[in-house]
Amino acid sequence: MQPEAFILPGNDNDRALLENIHPQGWQNPKPAKCYNLVVIGGGPAGLVASRTAAELGAKVALVESNLLGGDCLNLGCVPSKTLIGCARAAHNVRSAKLFGVTDNDQKPEFTKVMERMQIVRAGLSVNDSAHLLSRELGIDLFFGQGLFRGPDTIEVDQSLLRFKKAAICTGARAAVPSIPGLDETGFLTSETVFSLTALPRRLAVIGAGAIGCELAQVFSRLGSAVTLLEPGPRLLPREDRDASEVVQRAFEAEGIRLLFHSRISRVFAREGEKAVLYSRNGGESELAVDAILVAVGRAPNLNNLHLEKAGVHYHPRSGIKVDACLRTSNRKIFAAGDVCSIYKFTHTAEAQARTLVANALLPMQRRSLNNVISWCTYTSPELAHAGLYEQEAQARGIEVTTLTVPMSAVDRAWMDGETEGFARVLLKKGTDRILGATIVSRHAGEMIGELTLAINRGLGLKAIGHTLHPYPTQSAVIKKLADAYLRSRLKPWLKNVLRAWMRWQNR
């Protein structure tokens, strides 16, 4: 099976990548009589499930239709965050005058940026290599399209794999909206954008969710004139409004054109460019660009699995239906990751995979994602969240107290020139129990873990307040949240008592 087109032909880095994740001339093994676990899909969920089961002593087969590592390594986290790092470095150079460094407005070389992405991707692919899985872990690795032939049988490359338990970990793909003329005109997605060899001079990004925002800022910082079109009223609509507004102000300051309340009627190609027709504020306008990037969400990979033959129920949009233990309607078959989860993140896919293996192979039942999870949108500033939002708490009838500390209250933020943003916690009213947290800052993704741990372990803000944080750090904003809570406990009557006591002591 040939790899997909995003692998550039003749590139040494991508040849090294392929040698790890789909070696040329790979021969599928002879199937065992029966497997404890057969996993379909070699992305984050499938790899963790296969490794974990093999380490427990199970006989495991892993079936991958294309490239090990899945979207995370090849088309998602690794390439996108590498480009974010490159774009951030370029922005830092242009912003150096703030720190007394001679301004350098030199534009980054796009080919060098993409080369670095390829080097990083190839280097990290060693961790997901076919030889590591087969030789060191004893996993039977099959390349080819896996499909169900019955409730306990999977076919791949004309071989039948019989199983006691199976795991569907086929992930998701970029969703494509139904826009007249889009297919004929040509477009990029969050998967194909990493195959670019030249920087688009003008780029239209459709969708202002996490992926759209991250890539819009990346290409703007690398030198594209970016226009972001969104049918809703703001960026990152799932997040608190004032949190997304911090990111929006950063986008506007960097020259990204934002077109909210935009409805695209059609696109078409003409004379070497692409045109996007959209309606906004009661009128229709036309946007001329060199490339269109579609970022409107993810759709589960369900095609060609023949799930009906296995008795596995699914929905085309929401994916495979699983219970709290990740079991499908066929009790021998489980699922994990983007193919079944509303949380389409690598860290949740890996966590689900571990739960899946425990439930499938061991005499125990664990519930999936029983803890609060966190996530981060890697714009500049980053926006990270864990737990409940205020509107969710209200919908559940939970009374809350909200504490917010701006980054401008943190010394290190001033030193770094990064005073935009804030940290916020949602407390159960009358207590220090944390129900939710949001951080908007340059390093929000690195900082949200402390609050996520506190939520999951019921530590409360008082425990954070009693924890010494090194000075100066931007994470001191979390300590300041705890200090704000402790100050709120000083009621007026208590302050009066303390003042009287101090006066008496000072007689």
Side-chain angles (χ1 to χ4, degrees):
M1 177 171 293
Q2 293 298 315
E4 293 181 353
F6 80 92
I7 300 297
L8 302 178
N11 182 293
D12 288 343
N13 296 312
D14 286 332
R15 279 197 292 270
L17 173 72
L18 284 176
E19 182 56 31
N20 283 323
I21 60 176
H22 194 142
Q24 187 175 9
W26 179 268
Q27 296 293 319
N28 286 341
K30 181 180 178 181
K33 183 178 180 181
C34 188
Y35 290 94
N36 297 109
L37 183 69
V38 175
V39 181
I40 304 182
L47 287 170
V48 169
S50 300
R51 288 169 175 152
T52 304
E55 288 167 355
L56 292 175
K59 184 61 178 174
V60 180
L62 173 61
V63 180
E64 171 51 49
S65 64
N66 191 13
L67 303 173
L68 292 171
D71 275 4
C72 183
L73 173 65
N74 300 297
L75 306 168
C77 303
V78 171
S80 67
K81 275 50 182 182
T82 305
L83 289 191
I84 286 172
C86 294
R88 185 172 290 173
H91 180 74
N92 289 343
V93 170
R94 289 193 292 269
S95 306
K97 186 178 288 186
L98 174 66
F99 300 93
V101 181
T102 302
D103 192 21
N104 184 347
D105 201 27
Q106 183 178 353
K107 291 185 178 179
E109 295 183 44
F110 188 70
T111 54
K112 295 293 186 183
V113 169
M114 297 302 282
E115 182 182 13
R116 182 173 188 276
M117 179 271 291
Q118 293 156 6
I119 291 171
V120 171
R121 185 169 61 185
L124 292 177
S125 69
V126 174
N127 301 323
D128 299 333
S129 75
H131 298 296
L132 172 68
L133 296 173
S134 61
R135 293 174 186 171
E136 296 190 21
L137 295 176
I139 296 170
D140 283 357
L141 175 59
F142 294 83
F143 282 107
Q145 176 62 54
L147 53 93
F148 285 96
R149 285 302 186 196
D152 63 355
T153 306
I154 291 171
E155 180 183 344
V156 55
D157 193 28
Q158 299 182 336
S159 294
L160 294 180
L161 312 181
R162 300 194 182 278
F163 58 81
K164 295 293 185 180
K165 299 290 170 59
I168 303 171
C169 304
T170 50
R173 65 188 183 279
V176 179
S178 179
I179 299 175
L182 187 62
D183 287 336
E184 296 81 0
T185 304
F187 62 95
L188 300 165
T189 69
S190 58
E191 297 169 351
T192 61
V193 71
F194 304 111
S195 66
L196 284 174
T197 57
L199 180 72
R201 186 169 62 89
R202 301 165 299 174
L203 177 68
V205 178
I206 300 174
I211 295 174
C213 285
E214 288 179 0
L215 291 175
Q217 191 175 43
V218 162
F219 279 91
S220 175
R221 289 180 163 187
L222 293 178
S224 295
V226 176
T227 301
L228 184 59
L229 299 100
E230 164 61 34
R234 60 187 178 97
L235 303 178
L236 304 171
R238 73 188 295 178
E239 307 294 349
D240 288 340
R241 178 177 292 275
D242 57 351
S244 65
E245 285 174 351
V246 176
V247 179
Q248 180 174 325
R249 288 195 296 271
F251 277 28
E252 291 169 343
E254 294 181 24
I256 300 173
R257 186 184 180 196
L258 304 175
L259 298 178
F260 299 120
H261 303 290
S262 296
R263 301 284 177 178
I264 300 173
S265 54
R266 68 185 180 98
V267 302
F268 60 92
R270 66 176 179 205
E271 299 178 358
E273 66 180 16
K274 305 175 192 293
V276 180
L277 294 181
Y278 63 95
S279 58
R280 184 170 181 259
N281 299 328
E284 189 169 69
S285 302
E286 181 180 296
L287 174 67
V289 295
D290 301 294
I292 299 169
L293 171 61
V294 172
V296 294
R298 310 279 292 164
N301 285 324
L302 301 168
N303 296 340
N304 303 318
L305 292 176
H306 294 191
L307 295 174
E308 295 84 359
K309 293 184 178 181
V312 174
H313 299 162
Y314 66 93
H315 189 279
R317 287 192 297 274
S318 59
I320 293 174
K321 297 180 179 180
V322 295
D323 62 17
C325 297
L326 299 174
R327 185 181 285 109
T328 71
S329 49
N330 180 334
R331 295 187 65 81
K332 292 183 177 182
I333 301 174
F334 295 72
D338 292 4
V339 75
C340 65
S341 176
I342 61 172
Y343 300 111
K344 300 193 185 307
F345 309 118
T346 295
H347 53 288
T348 54
E350 292 179 347
Q352 285 187 328
R354 295 184 184 95
T355 300
L356 181 156
V357 170
N359 291 336
L361 302 182
L362 300 177
M364 61 178 66
Q365 291 294 294
R366 292 174 51 186
R367 295 175 66 87
S368 171
L369 300 181
N370 207 23
N371 289 335
V372 166
I373 66 167
S374 58
W375 57 81
C376 182
T377 300
Y378 296 95
T379 49
S380 291
E382 296 176 351
L383 199 166
H385 179 81
L388 295 179
Y389 295 97
E390 189 168 355
Q391 61 270 27
E392 290 179 318
Q394 291 173 347
R396 299 182 188 185
I398 303 173
E399 292 189 83
V400 297
T401 300
T402 301
L403 296 177
T404 302
V405 173
M407 291 303 299
S408 59
V410 179
D411 293 356
R412 181 61 184 270
W414 280 95
M415 300 171 197
D416 294 339
E418 296 165 359
T419 55
E420 288 295 315
F422 58 81
R424 169 177 296 153
V425 289
L426 200 67
L427 306 178
K428 186 175 182 181
K429 192 170 183 178
T431 75
D432 73 331
R433 179 187 169 195
I434 308 170
L435 301 179
T438 296
I439 303 176
V440 191
S441 79
R442 172 71 177 264
H443 307 287
E446 308 292 340
M447 295 158 60
I448 195 67
E450 181 176 4
L451 290 169
T452 308
L453 174 66
I455 296 172
N456 282 322
R457 295 294 177 261
L459 297 178
L461 269 188
K462 284 185 286 190
I464 292 176
H466 294 148
T467 301
L468 291 177
H469 290 68
Y471 178 91
T473 59
Q474 292 198 22
S475 63
V477 72
I478 300 174
K479 176 67 162 59
K480 288 182 176 292
L481 283 169
D483 293 342
Y485 170 76
L486 294 174
R487 286 195 300 271
S488 73
R489 304 293 291 171
L490 286 175
K491 302 301 182 183
W493 67 266
L494 181 55
K495 290 181 181 180
N496 292 334
V497 169
L498 290 173
R499 288 193 187 101
W501 170 256
M502 297 301 173
R503 286 195 299 269
W504 184 84
Q505 288 283 325
N506 200 32
R507 288 184 304 171

